[in-house]
Amino acid sequence: MPLPKCWPLFTKAKGGFDLFLDKIASMRKNDPYSEAKKLIESSRHITVTGHLNPDADALGTALGLWHIFKRLSKRTDLFFASHPLPQHLGFLPGFKNIRQSINPQSDLIVTVDSGSLDRIGIEIEDGVKIINIDHHRSNTRFADVNIVEPEFASASEAAFKLVESAGWDVSKEAAVNFYAALLSDTGFFGYEGVNERVFDFAKRLLKLGADAEWTARMLRENQPLSKLRLLPKVLQTLRLYLDGRVAGLDITLRMLEESGASVSETDDIVNYARSLATVEVGFLIREEADGGLKVSLRSKNRVDVCKIALSFGGGGHIRAAGFTVNGLERELLKEKLLKRIEEELQ
Ligand code: AMP
Ligand code: MN
Ligand code: MN
């Protein structure tokens, strides 16, 4: 049986036992989970936040942690910079407590589901500590403590691992939020990252009081009419490329205006492009209010779309990624994008 790595310190060196203890102490220090626990427990005022245009993973993970921190009798705020917030996710327990301006008293910011600091949408003042809890492969490790688990199916898995290792209580409200985050980011337990560990996590959340049927129903069947009015307009734009292996969709500001839909209602429409039998890569290009173009990329099982998004300054996961460009015309962007996709399809 192989000896533990620190064994030679214990046996050989003079004063070896001290060195052994030092080594254990430094291992603890470098463990982001115990570092995060220490920072959270010693902070005076925590703000929990997530990425711009938050989805159910960002909101559910942040809300879950917020409930848990409140139980620790911590002064805790929830903050999301995007306005308006996705009202169809208003069923998440605690949603109405979300602030849209940051509390200046915060001495600790906990970000969830955010691959880089610019995805939060605010400047963070000097002296304020940051803990980054995420599962994006492209995460830039921007914080004082980085808990980044690219193998995890949802940011809520990393948050729960922290909560568990710290020994904090998980209320029913927190469990519901984490379950919604997990369900949404795994495509209702259908995506590649789903494995026994994910189902074990789901089972624990159900034991803690999450309701599987209710959460699934609220995520799927709580849509505003404007979203269904938008959908046919977007599907009209469907085009196939590269022998049908790629499908693209467009959303313009005008379509949003005509249907009354907000940006958060466009979230999963890109999945229609990927849903076609022949398609490996689906993309959606959405016009932003400032004239920028937001690109969403999805793949089935071969192409690493995170790599493509990174080459355009964005990021994400292997099968779901995105980026935003400014000052590029839509057809020119499509040309460049298709070239990159073609390279990855080889
Ligand atoms: P979306 O296409 O917006 O649904 O995003 C797909 C995945 O890529 C999500 O996990 C996002 O967090 C990530 N992502 C989207 N846009 C960006 C970006 N500009 N930079 C980094 N990651 C992004
Ligand atoms: Mn997200
Ligand atoms: Mn996520």
Side-chain angles (χ1 to χ4, degrees):
M1 204 168 73
L3 291 171
K5 275 208 169 82
C6 50
W7 186 251
L9 283 174
F10 181 56
T11 53
K12 275 194 228 151
K14 198 166 176 260
F17 192 63
D18 289 344
L19 281 174
F20 174 71
L21 290 179
D22 278 357
K23 176 88 180 169
I24 297 283
S26 83
M27 275 161 65
R28 281 233 177 90
K29 191 158 178 275
N30 293 329
D31 166 25
Y33 289 92
S34 50
E35 284 292 283
K37 173 183 158 71
K38 253 192 280 169
L39 255 183
I40 287 163
E41 290 180 350
S42 63
S43 70
R44 280 176 287 109
H45 195 127
I46 310 170
T47 285
V48 190
T49 189
H51 62 77
L52 291 165
N53 297 324
D55 50 19
D57 191 25
L59 286 165
T61 304
L63 279 156
L65 283 176
W66 177 75
H67 282 287
I68 289 161
F69 296 160
K70 275 204 319 171
R71 276 210 167 188
L72 295 175
S73 304
K74 284 277 154 197
R75 280 160 61 199
T76 311
D77 274 311
L78 269 167
F79 162 77
F80 279 88
S82 287
H83 189 82
L85 287 167
Q87 293 306 309
H88 61 279
L89 296 174
F91 70 91
L92 295 171
F95 183 90
K96 62 179 186 321
N97 295 88
I98 298 174
R99 296 169 55 112
Q100 302 221 257
S101 64
I102 198 152
N103 188 326
Q105 291 187 326
S106 318
D107 59 346
L108 176 63
I109 310 263
V110 177
T111 70
V112 302
D113 201 33
S114 308
S116 55
L117 199 51
D118 59 319
R119 299 271 295 144
I120 307 295
I122 43 150
E123 296 277 322
I124 294 177
E125 280 180 29
D126 287 350
V128 176
K129 296 275 186 198
I130 309 174
I131 299 175
N132 159 22
I133 302 175
D134 188 32
H135 68 133
H136 286 91
R137 178 165 299 268
S138 58
N139 192 290
T140 57
R141 271 87 174 163
F142 53 85
D144 298 287
V145 178
N146 298 290
I147 294 178
V148 181
E149 302 276 11
E151 299 303 315
F152 284 6
S154 145
S156 66
E157 266 201 273
F160 191 79
K161 188 172 165 185
L162 167 64
V163 171
E164 208 174 28
S165 70
W168 300 326
D169 276 350
V170 180
S171 61
K172 179 182 171 175
E173 289 82 4
V176 171
N177 274 297
F178 285 160
Y179 190 83
L182 180 68
L183 198 55
S184 165
D185 252 28
T186 59
F188 293 72
F189 301 118
Y191 293 156
E192 215 170 42
V194 175
N195 53 24
E196 283 182 32
R197 193 201 60 243
V198 168
F199 281 110
D200 279 343
F201 177 38
K203 186 176 162 186
R204 310 240 349 240
L205 295 173
L206 295 182
K207 272 201 170 142
L208 287 162
D211 179 334
E213 186 274 333
W214 182 80
T215 315
R217 175 153 50 83
M218 293 312 274
L219 280 176
R220 273 199 291 234
E221 294 168 357
N222 190 32
Q223 306 297 337
L225 179 61
S226 47
K227 182 169 178 175
L228 266 80
R229 296 268 192 248
L230 172 68
L231 196 55
K233 294 180 195 294
V234 183
L235 294 180
Q236 283 286 333
T237 70
L238 182 83
R239 272 179 67 188
L240 294 175
Y241 308 90
L242 301 169
D243 304 322
R245 289 177 297 164
V246 179
L249 292 167
D250 289 302
I251 297 183
T252 60
L253 284 174
R254 189 166 171 180
M255 289 177 196
L256 294 178
E257 217 172 277
E258 284 174 356
S259 56
S262 61
V263 169
S264 66
E265 292 163 39
T266 67
D267 243 14
D268 49 3
I269 297 183
V270 62
N271 294 335
Y272 283 95
R274 179 176 55 182
S275 71
L276 287 164
T278 60
V279 167
E280 167 61 21
V281 178
F283 68 84
L284 182 144
I285 304 180
R286 177 175 55 76
E287 184 183 9
E288 297 205 310
D290 64 358
L293 295 170
K294 160 78 211 262
V295 180
S296 291
L297 296 163
R298 300 290 185 271
S299 67
K300 269 194 188 133
N301 55 16
R302 285 200 305 118
V303 171
D304 180 349
V305 288
C306 182
K307 201 168 147 194
I308 298 174
L310 278 168
S311 65
F312 286 93
H317 310 281
I318 295 182
R319 307 286 174 235
F323 64 91
T324 303
V325 291
N326 285 289
L328 199 58
E329 197 261 325
R330 189 183 284 262
E331 288 310 309
L332 205 59
L333 167 62
K334 257 184 220 176
E335 230 173 80
K336 285 176 181 246
L337 178 61
L338 284 163
K339 224 184 220 168
R340 273 298 285 120
I341 295 173
E342 191 173 15
E343 284 166 13
E344 295 302 322
L345 271 170
Q346 300 305 324

